[in-house]
Amino acid sequence: MNDELARWAAERAPALRARAEAEAVATLREALVAAVLGERSRVTTGPAPARPPAVRNRDTGDLLWAYCVMRASDAQPTDAPGIANGEPVKRVEAAGLAALVSSVPRAEFGEEPLRQNLNELAWLERIARAHEGVLDNALAGATIVPLRLCTLYENEERVREMLARERGAFSAALDHLAGRQEWGVKVLLDEERLEQEAHARIGGASEIDRDLDSRGSGGAYMLRRRFERELREAAEALASQAAEAIHASLSAFALDAVTRSPQNRDLSGHEGEMILNAAYLVAAERLDEVHELVRRLEDEHRAVGARIEITGPWPPYNFVPGGGTATVA
């Protein structure tokens, strides 16, 4: 039986290994998109238009890449270049709204080339950062509804049709977001200090340490394993309590909140254990209070080495009412 199992494993090992590698590459690509966009890319934005015919697969001419929608009365930001070939960002207006767009070549952004380019991590990172740069520039002077990556239109007339068709939904979203900002919060713990605090809180930890020194190798090993398990469980409980307390305090202050999975340490490069990765929608005039609350929470959880990173304001991907999914029009 064991020989048969060994032969079965040997026959299938190459295929299983190849599948695992393919899944790892796909996971890495998704994680990079999330990291580049502050992990906001999973939330699609903007009211969903009816799905039109797909862009035809031609390799000549241009398409329009759309970044966001704002009110037509808001000033036009001009500082950030578009994502391709330094093309300027321009406005397309209809129904009291304006969409920021820029031209992109079909040879790079048509249906088939785009599908291939999305597998190139360097290309994807460059495009995502440029897209985000336009949004950040627009956000500095207006309330916006950000559109997700790869929202493409055949021409300006298609953009105007979309704005007119979705005027009600976009206007409601802009009303909802006016005077509000999205801020990201990441809570990281110093793992050494967390372990020290857990050790201090385990009842009889000092006695266990002394007992380990006095026991034989077999007894000491079992006792050590049990102690390490208790220490790990205590540390996990402390981390969970800190995350819940911090999130509860920030959520009570904010107008809305969402939590996301902690970022991959290898991709983000953060130090320590990330116990909370969240975004909060706050009133712009209360920003000073938000920073003061963060400082206070950091002090309250200093025993476990808490470090709270707050970043923003971000384009409000997470808080646009009725996120949509269409990306080609």
Side-chain angles (χ1 to χ4, degrees), residues 23 41 81 85 98 122 210 220 227 239 245 252 267 274 304 307 311 323:
E23 291 175 348
S41 59
N85 303 326
R210 288 194 295 270
F227 178 65
L267 287 172
M274 186 179 294
V304 291
R307 186 174 78 259
T311 58

Side-chain angles (χ1 to χ4, degrees), residues 8-72:
W8 180 89
E11 291 171 357
R12 287 156 178 78
L16 293 174
R17 184 164 55 251
R19 178 181 174 184
E21 290 172 354
E23 291 175 348
V25 169
T27 300
L28 176 61
R29 184 168 63 249
E30 293 170 1
L32 177 60
V33 176
V36 167
L37 297 181
E39 290 200 36
R40 297 187 300 284
S41 59
R42 71 178 180 83
V43 182
T44 56
T45 58
R51 182 169 292 280
V55 172
R56 291 184 297 277
N57 183 23
R58 299 194 301 263
D59 59 3
T60 61
D62 291 335
L63 297 167
L64 288 178
W65 178 288
Y67 300 91
C68 63
V69 173
M70 61 178 65
R71 298 194 185 282

Side-chain angles (χ1 to χ4, degrees), residues 140-154:
T143 300
I144 67 171
V145 174
L147 301 174
R148 72 176 185 174
L149 285 173
C150 305
T151 300
L152 292 160
Y153 292 88
E154 285 274 6

Side-chain angles (χ1 to χ4, degrees), residues 20-250:
E21 290 172 354
E23 291 175 348
V25 169
T27 300
L28 176 61
R29 184 168 63 249
E30 293 170 1
L32 177 60
V33 176
V36 167
L37 297 181
E39 290 200 36
R40 297 187 300 284
S41 59
R42 71 178 180 83
V43 182
T44 56
T45 58
R51 182 169 292 280
V55 172
R56 291 184 297 277
N57 183 23
R58 299 194 301 263
D59 59 3
T60 61
D62 291 335
L63 297 167
L64 288 178
W65 178 288
Y67 300 91
C68 63
V69 173
M70 61 178 65
R71 298 194 185 282
S73 57
D74 287 332
Q76 176 179 352
T78 57
D79 294 340
I83 64 169
N85 303 326
E87 287 288 332
V89 175
K90 58 185 178 180
R91 292 159 64 96
V92 177
E93 296 186 9
L97 300 172
L100 296 188
V101 304
S102 68
S103 297
V104 295
R106 289 180 185 272
E108 187 176 0
F109 293 88
E111 184 176 349
E112 288 303 322
L114 180 61
R115 182 178 294 112
Q116 296 174 14
N117 284 329
L118 288 174
N119 290 308
E120 298 294 331
L121 299 184
W123 183 94
L124 185 56
E125 180 177 3
R126 176 176 60 83
I127 296 301
R129 290 190 183 280
H131 180 90
E132 199 76 357
V134 174
L135 295 183
D136 289 342
N137 191 58
L139 188 63
T143 300
I144 67 171
V145 174
L147 301 174
R148 72 176 185 174
L149 285 173
C150 305
T151 300
L152 292 160
Y153 292 88
E154 285 274 6
N155 49 49
E156 291 189 11
E157 186 57 33
R158 287 291 184 90
V159 178
R160 294 188 185 96
E161 290 173 0
M162 179 274 293
L163 292 175
R165 182 175 61 246
E166 302 298 335
R167 175 185 179 186
F170 275 121
S171 296
L174 289 166
D175 286 342
H176 175 72
L177 295 171
R180 299 172 173 182
Q181 297 179 346
E182 175 173 332
W183 286 78
V185 171
K186 294 178 175 58
V187 180
L188 302 109
L189 300 186
D190 182 298
E191 292 167 297
E192 183 176 345
R193 292 184 61 179
L194 175 63
E195 183 174 334
Q196 290 172 352
E197 184 66 14
H199 189 282
R201 296 195 183 194
I202 294 177
S206 298
E207 289 76 8
I208 293 176
D209 285 338
R210 288 194 295 270
D211 198 12
L212 282 170
D213 293 336
S214 64
R215 292 196 177 212
S217 59
Y221 173 78
M222 296 303 297
L223 185 60
R224 171 66 67 184
R225 290 294 300 274
R226 188 184 72 183
F227 178 65
E228 289 174 348
R229 183 177 65 252
E230 292 177 355
L231 185 62
R232 183 172 59 253
E233 291 172 351
E236 290 173 353
L238 285 172
S240 179
Q241 291 165 11
E244 291 173 3
I246 292 171
H247 180 57
S249 295
L250 290 169

